[in-house]
């Protein structure tokens, strides 16, 4: 396929539009890039795209954002990666910042509580569906990967946390098994004001550390970060309640761009606008470093079977963790008959109507929650 040369301005505008209007989660966003940049515009070769997708799966961090950064690196090196990453993330970050301000200002009003009453149940349906889609896409008919994914699901559901060393162990296990089976594998106060008032500088440092750690160790889909973040912000630091954390996931679902932008909402609730900036910087900086740093090396070794074996094991564990997260959050979001009905209706809509936009499901669930809460 003949690759077409595109001005960098047009390349960046494409990712700005994708970040502003690209709904559907990481799998859909990666699909849009393949369709638009490889098949239609021919700005990226199929080989470069496949290598970028493999690196995004191998490196910890949000899948779609890493792929965008790699494609920017292919197009224009260091500055291409930086500009593409910023263009892709900025629209959804600004939207989440606005929603965060509304939530902090009006979060106690009955209409917002009613809306999130329905939204939380719909989010569980979306996470469950995403986990199933990722399972079919990544595990296929490999019994070893299915076993790892099932174990990861049970561990995440039981402990209510994402155990990072299990991901690395899963990657090493698949590498060992496949290697054995073949011989061919060689500030102003308002900037820091969250739900609990003005946050301290120490809290900002903690936010940066927590979200940088999340960006550095969480593999696969943007949803894979959900169990890790819940363990950090709800269980360990007690910054948010389970309901507030679920609201943060919901906000990420109703905005375009990478799902992992939910970190900006969490950062805002904890430490205001500056907390949102620090949280987003923390989670995306490792993502950028882990793509740009090894990009040259990876291009030389992308076809190594050992690399693929390790990626498969890590991906299987990450997929299981997403399913486990759906169980953990489901216990908090689905607690009576109305929320159960909303969740089932959302799951049915997503299952039967393949092209229904997820934000439409979320907004409909919010309206349903308002109506249900208004009943006597």
């Amino acid at each position: 396929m003949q690759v077409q040369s595109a001005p960098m301005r047009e390349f960046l505008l494409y990712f700005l539009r994708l970040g502003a209007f690209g709904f559907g989660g990481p799998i859909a966003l990666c699909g849009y890039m393949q369709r638009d940049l490889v098949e239609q515009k021919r700005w990226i070769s199929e080989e470069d795209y496949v290598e970028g997708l493999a690196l995004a799966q191998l490196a910890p961090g949000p899948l779609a954002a890493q792929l965008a950064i790699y494609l920017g690196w292919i197009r224009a090196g260091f500055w291409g990666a930086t500009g593409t990453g910023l263009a892709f993330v900025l629209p959804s970050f600004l939207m989440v910042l606005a929603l965060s301000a509304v939530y902090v200002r009006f979060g106690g009003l009955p209409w917002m509580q009613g809306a999130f009453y329905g939204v939380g149940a719909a989010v569980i349906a979306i996470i469950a569906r995403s986990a199933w889609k990722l399972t079919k896409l990544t595990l296929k008919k490999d019994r070893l990967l299915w076993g790892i994914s099932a174990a990861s699901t049970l561990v995440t559901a039981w402990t209510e946390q994402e155990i990072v060393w299990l991901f690395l162990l899963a990657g090493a296990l698949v590498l060992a098994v496949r290697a054995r089976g073949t011989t061919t594998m060689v500030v102003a106060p308002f900037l820091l004001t969250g739900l609990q008032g003005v946050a301290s500088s120490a809290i900002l440092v903690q936010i940066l550390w927590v979200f940088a750690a999340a960006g550095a160790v969480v593999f696969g889909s943007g949803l894979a970060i959900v169990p890790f973040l819940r363990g950090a912000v709800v269980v360990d630091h007690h910054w948010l309640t389970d309901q507030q954390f679920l609201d943060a996931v919901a906000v990420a679902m109703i905005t375009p761009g990478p799902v992992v932008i939910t970190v900006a909402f969490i950062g805002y609730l904890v430490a205001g606008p500056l907390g949102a900036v620090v949280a987003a910087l923390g989670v995306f900086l490792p993502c950028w470093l882990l793509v740009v740093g090894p990009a040259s090396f990876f291009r030389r070794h992308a076809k190594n079977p050992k690399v693929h074996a390790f990626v498969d094991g890590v991906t299987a564990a990450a997929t299981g963790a997403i399913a486990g997260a759906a169980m953990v959050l489901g216990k908090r979001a689905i607690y009576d008959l109305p929320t159960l009905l909303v969740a089932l209706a959302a799951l049915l809509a997503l299952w039967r109507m393949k092209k229904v936009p997820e934000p439409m499901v979320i907004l409909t669930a919010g309206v349903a929650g308002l109506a249900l809460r208004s009943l006597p």
Side-chain angles (χ1 to χ4, degrees):
M1 183 187 74
Q2 184 69 34
V3 176
Q4 305 292 327
S5 178
M8 196 61 197
R9 177 175 175 274
E10 291 185 25
F11 198 81
L12 294 177
L13 283 175
Y14 168 79
F15 280 98
L16 197 64
R17 288 193 298 269
L18 185 63
F21 303 106
F23 290 98
I27 301 300
L29 291 170
C30 292
Y32 297 150
M33 293 181 215
Q34 194 273 338
R35 180 197 65 192
D36 299 337
L37 299 179
V38 178
E39 295 180 2
Q40 295 182 0
K41 297 180 183 295
R42 297 186 178 182
W43 290 349
I44 298 292
S45 71
E46 184 175 346
E47 183 179 6
D48 285 338
Y49 175 86
V50 171
E51 287 181 358
L53 187 60
L55 176 58
Q57 289 179 314
L58 174 62
L63 182 70
Q66 286 175 312
L67 178 57
I69 291 170
Y70 184 83
L71 297 181
W73 180 83
I74 289 291
R75 175 63 184 78
F78 173 89
W79 292 112
T82 304
T84 300
L86 288 174
F88 184 54
V89 171
L90 187 60
S92 54
F93 174 77
L94 294 176
M95 293 179 201
V96 168
L97 204 63
L99 288 170
S100 303
V102 173
Y103 186 93
V104 170
R105 177 66 179 85
F106 301 109
L109 293 182
W111 70 266
M112 184 162 281
Q113 294 175 348
F116 278 110
Y117 175 71
V119 164
V123 166
I124 299 303
I126 291 175
I127 294 176
R129 176 175 175 260
S130 295
W132 176 245
K133 288 173 64 179
L134 281 170
T135 297
K136 292 196 300 179
L137 179 67
T138 59
L139 308 187
K140 297 182 174 63
K141 296 182 179 180
D142 191 311
R143 293 182 179 180
L144 175 61
L145 298 184
W146 276 96
I148 290 173
S149 180
S152 181
T153 298
L154 293 176
V155 169
T156 303
W158 179 264
T159 63
E160 300 191 357
Q161 295 188 54
E162 186 176 78
I163 302 176
V164 175
W165 62 264
L166 285 179
F167 282 33
L168 302 178
L169 180 62
L173 175 62
V174 175
L175 173 58
V177 169
R178 293 185 181 177
R180 185 183 62 201
T182 177
T183 59
T184 61
M185 296 176 62
V186 180
V187 179
F190 83 90
L191 292 175
L192 290 167
T193 302
L195 288 175
Q196 306 301 323
V198 179
S200 65
S201 57
I203 292 293
L204 278 182
V205 174
Q206 287 182 325
I207 290 173
L208 181 63
W209 172 251
V210 164
F211 291 108
V217 301
V218 176
F219 292 82
S221 162
L223 288 173
I225 205 171
V226 170
F228 186 94
L229 287 183
R230 182 188 172 277
V233 305
V234 177
V235 178
D236 296 340
H237 293 283
H238 307 289
W239 287 335
L240 302 181
T241 65
D242 266 313
Q243 184 57 55
Q244 289 166 344
F245 179 77
L246 193 60
D247 294 346
V249 177
V251 165
M253 293 292 186
I254 63 175
T255 53
V259 173
V260 76
I261 202 64
T262 188
V263 301
F265 187 88
I266 296 172
Y268 194 108
L269 299 193
V270 177
L274 197 53
V277 173
V278 169
L281 179 64
V283 83
F284 283 108
L285 184 57
C287 162
W288 181 89
L289 291 172
L290 289 168
V291 170
V292 174
S296 296
F297 175 84
F298 186 79
R299 278 177 68 83
R300 293 195 299 269
H301 301 280
K303 296 180 176 62
N304 189 320
K306 289 186 177 181
V307 173
H308 282 290
F310 188 81
V311 170
D312 286 346
V314 169
T315 303
T319 301
I322 295 173
M327 296 179 185
V328 173
L329 294 173
K331 292 187 296 184
R332 276 78 174 178
I334 304 172
Y335 54 86
D336 56 15
L337 182 59
T339 51
L340 176 61
L341 293 176
V342 170
L344 291 176
L347 190 59
L348 182 62
L350 292 165
W351 193 274
R352 298 297 298 273
M353 296 181 286
K354 303 295 186 182
K355 296 184 179 180
V356 61
E358 290 179 358
M360 182 61 67
V361 175
I362 293 290
L363 294 174
T364 303
V367 173
L370 282 171
L372 290 168
R373 277 293 177 93
S374 66
L375 294 176

